[in-house]
Amino acid sequence: MKKTKIVCFCGSTRFAQYFMIERWKLEKQGIITLGINILPDGYFAGENHHGAEQEGVKDILDELHKRKIDISDEVVILNVGGYIGQSTKAELEYAIEIGKPVSYLEPLT
């Protein structure tokens, strides 16, 4: 039986729409995708859209995302407009450290 490919998406939560679109593109090809949990607009109060920080679970979710990287065959960085934030940079460094193939949504400049 052929192993199903697993791809983990990493990127800023501000690019939630890109996560949804890129995951859809791969899942239509039969590829399993992992990434952040997308919550509806208005779920979090205030202007800070970093819900994990608001709820005090950032460390838990950062560690969980590393486990998603661990079980993935490839990591895709959603570097919209060239942006790679601190959390995404840490995930990228982790993926490289453990030898995961990494690709980018947009070419690096």
Side-chain angles (χ1 to χ4, degrees):
M1 183 173 190
K2 183 181 172 188
K3 181 180 181 282
T4 303
K5 184 176 181 178
I6 302 171
V7 172
C8 183
F9 286 102
C10 298
S12 173
T13 56
R14 70 180 75 175
F15 304 131
Q17 289 184 341
Y18 286 86
F19 276 92
M20 291 184 280
I21 292 166
E22 295 304 314
R23 289 178 78 171
W24 174 245
K25 287 178 184 178
L26 293 185
E27 289 183 357
K28 289 190 300 182
Q29 299 173 47
I31 297 169
I32 296 169
T33 63
L34 305 171
I36 60 172
N37 192 355
I38 307 295
L39 294 166
D41 290 339
Y43 181 83
F44 297 106
E47 293 182 24
N48 181 358
H49 297 286
H50 296 282
E53 292 170 2
Q54 283 188 31
E55 292 191 2
V57 294
K58 183 178 182 329
D59 291 341
I60 294 169
L61 295 181
D62 286 350
E63 195 62 31
L64 180 63
H65 206 77
K66 285 182 180 177
R67 300 298 71 82
K68 292 177 184 180
I69 292 168
D70 288 340
I71 64 173
S72 297
D73 299 305
E74 179 184 351
V75 172
V76 176
I77 305 295
L78 298 178
N79 59 326
V80 178
Y83 180 78
I84 298 177
Q86 288 180 345
S87 292
T88 304
K89 183 179 179 188
E91 293 162 355
L92 171 59
E93 289 170 351
Y94 179 75
I96 291 169
E97 177 183 312
I98 65 168
K100 294 293 175 175
V102 176
S103 61
Y104 299 85
L105 178 67
E106 297 182 6
L108 297 177
T109 54

